[in-house]
Amino acid sequence: VVAASDSSFKSRIQADYVCDGTDDDVEIQAAIDALPASGGKVVLLEGTFTLAAKIALETGVDLVGQGYSTKLILANSVDNSVLSSTAKSNFTIANFQVDGNKANNAAANAIAITNGSNVNAINIWVHDSKQDGLVIIGTTNVVVQNVRAYDNDRFGLATWNASLTTLNVVF
């Protein structure tokens, strides 16, 4: 369990990792990396997580927030994705918003999923990316459900050589 710096006091004292509002990607990535090789779940509590580097999604690891009240925002001048995976499978990202902070970044997709399989993106709000909100390349068995993509400079959802089994996106 990862708490944001502005999560409630009760949430922060019960969390395994507590962020300070700067480079929160460090704590989130540490929580992901601490899971066993077989995977598991990282829960992001309510609040704003400011990321100075992309979070690498891993096989078998679910990253789950508390809904719109959980916000991942790219820090200024990072120019990288907020979430990314390459050749990873069997994972879910769910129940949070991703803000690409396009006014303060020159380039990047908010979420980039490449060459994986069995991926779920559920209840995600992805917005203000300098490029695409959610890009899926060469990935099979993808479920995109209740994703809201808006105010991105290029596409809300972009796919290349991907097989989507379920698609429900609001632009």
Side-chain angles (χ1 to χ4, degrees):
V1 176
V2 184
S5 62
D6 58 349
S7 292
S8 71
F9 176 74
K10 181 179 178 183
S11 294
R12 288 194 318 268
I13 62 171
Q14 295 177 348
D16 300 299
Y17 298 85
V18 179
C19 298
D20 63 8
T22 304
D23 301 341
D24 295 336
D25 49 281
V26 172
E27 290 85 0
I28 296 169
Q29 195 66 57
I32 291 169
D33 295 343
L35 292 171
S38 59
K41 183 192 292 188
V42 172
V43 175
L44 302 175
L45 298 178
E46 81 288 342
T48 299
F49 297 88
T50 303
L51 310 178
K54 69 181 168 188
I55 295 172
L57 301 168
E58 297 294 336
T59 293
V61 175
D62 297 338
L63 185 64
V64 180
Q66 306 303 303
Y68 194 76
S69 65
T70 301
K71 180 179 182 179
L72 306 177
I73 185 168
L74 195 61
N76 295 344
S77 302
V78 175
D79 300 327
N80 210 330
S81 297
V82 175
L83 302 172
S84 179
S85 74
T86 301
K88 305 299 180 185
S89 300
N90 304 315
F91 68 85
T92 296
I93 55 173
N95 302 325
F96 53 80
Q97 63 168 304
V98 177
D99 182 341
N101 188 14
K102 70 180 177 183
N104 297 298
N105 282 283
N109 300 305
I111 303 170
I113 300 170
T114 307
N115 298 328
S117 65
N118 303 319
V119 174
N120 301 302
I122 301 170
N123 296 328
I124 304 286
W125 294 261
V126 58
H127 57 90
D128 294 298
S129 173
K130 194 64 175 179
Q131 293 180 348
D132 302 324
L134 171 59
V135 70
I136 303 168
I137 302 169
T139 301
T140 59
N141 265 352
V142 181
V143 172
V144 176
Q145 189 172 29
N146 296 324
V147 171
R148 295 148 190 95
Y150 55 94
D151 293 333
N152 299 293
D153 275 358
R154 288 197 325 192
F155 301 108
L157 171 66
T159 63
W160 289 274
N161 298 321
S163 71
L164 304 176
T165 58
T166 303
L167 178 62
N168 179 350
V169 180
V170 177
F171 297 100

